[in-house]
Amino acid sequence: MQNSEAMALSATLLAVAGELTRRINEGVVARGFEGVRPAHGFAFARLAPDGATATELAAHLGVTKQAASQLVDEIVRKGFAERRPHPGDARARLVVLTERGWACTRAAEEAAAEVVRGWAGVLGESEVRVLWEQLWRIAPYGPVRPAW
């Protein structure tokens, strides 16, 4: 593959990721979650399983601890998450999604499914599955984080 082709492929993948992020966020807002930003969704992806500390969230997002703490303050203030005592570290606080945060996460899943169904309309369901399998081989574990 020539350098110019590699650059064009890179630009296309970045454009798809940006468009996907934008459309998921628009879908979340359309489902009634005002004031949510894509950065929140990237944080929710890390918080969703079992919660995380601000330090773990900072590592996931690729930001400073201070930036992650500010984001945590914001999502707590907006009712998407809450701080709880950490079960294994008395000095740390665990940030977990509230019911509102889980509902917002489900709204993002619905919005993502809508986008992917659109891709299936263009490429066909089997081609979308092949695309997913091939991309998974390249980047199986992420991390999924914003490009600040």
Side-chain angles (χ1 to χ4, degrees), residues 1-10:
M1 180 172 274
Q2 299 294 318
N3 287 353
S4 60
E5 292 172 320
M7 193 62 183
L9 174 60
S10 299

Side-chain angles (χ1 to χ4, degrees), residues 16 19 22 26 76 110 116 121 123-124 131 136 143:
V16 168
E19 179 69 5
R22 183 187 66 76
E26 287 175 354
V76 166
E110 292 168 6
V116 172
L123 301 175
L131 175 64
W136 179 256

Side-chain angles (χ1 to χ4, degrees), residues 81-144:
E82 64 185 13
R83 291 180 179 93
R84 294 184 182 165
H86 193 289
D89 184 349
R91 299 167 297 156
R93 303 285 287 169
L94 193 63
V95 182
V96 298
L97 294 177
T98 61
E99 182 50 44
R100 184 167 190 244
W102 281 107
C104 186
T105 299
R106 287 188 297 273
E109 290 173 354
E110 292 168 6
E114 282 180 4
V115 174
V116 172
R117 279 193 295 273
W119 295 351
V122 173
L123 301 175
E125 183 109 9
S126 63
E127 288 297 314
V128 171
R129 185 161 302 281
V130 168
L131 175 64
W132 174 36
E133 291 168 356
Q134 290 173 341
L135 291 173
W136 179 256
R137 287 173 47 203
I138 295 168
Y141 303 110
V144 177

Side-chain angles (χ1 to χ4, degrees), residues 20-33 36 104 106-112 114-115:
L20 178 61
T21 300
R22 183 187 66 76
R23 291 189 54 201
I24 290 172
N25 192 69
E26 287 175 354
V28 168
V29 171
R31 287 168 172 79
F33 294 95
V36 71
C104 186
R106 287 188 297 273
E109 290 173 354
E110 292 168 6
E114 282 180 4
V115 174

Side-chain angles (χ1 to χ4, degrees), residues 69-92:
S69 291
Q70 289 175 346
L71 183 63
V72 168
D73 288 344
E74 183 180 356
I75 62 176
V76 166
R77 186 175 60 254
K78 291 182 177 190
F80 293 113
E82 64 185 13
R83 291 180 179 93
R84 294 184 182 165
H86 193 289
D89 184 349
R91 299 167 297 156

Side-chain angles (χ1 to χ4, degrees), residues 54-63 143 145:
T55 300
E56 292 166 338
L57 188 57
H60 172 78
L61 296 173
V63 299
R145 64 169 56 144

Side-chain angles (χ1 to χ4, degrees), residues 34-54:
E34 292 294 325
V36 71
R37 300 181 291 122
H40 298 140
F42 289 107
F44 294 177
R46 175 59 182 92
L47 298 177
D50 299 309
T53 65

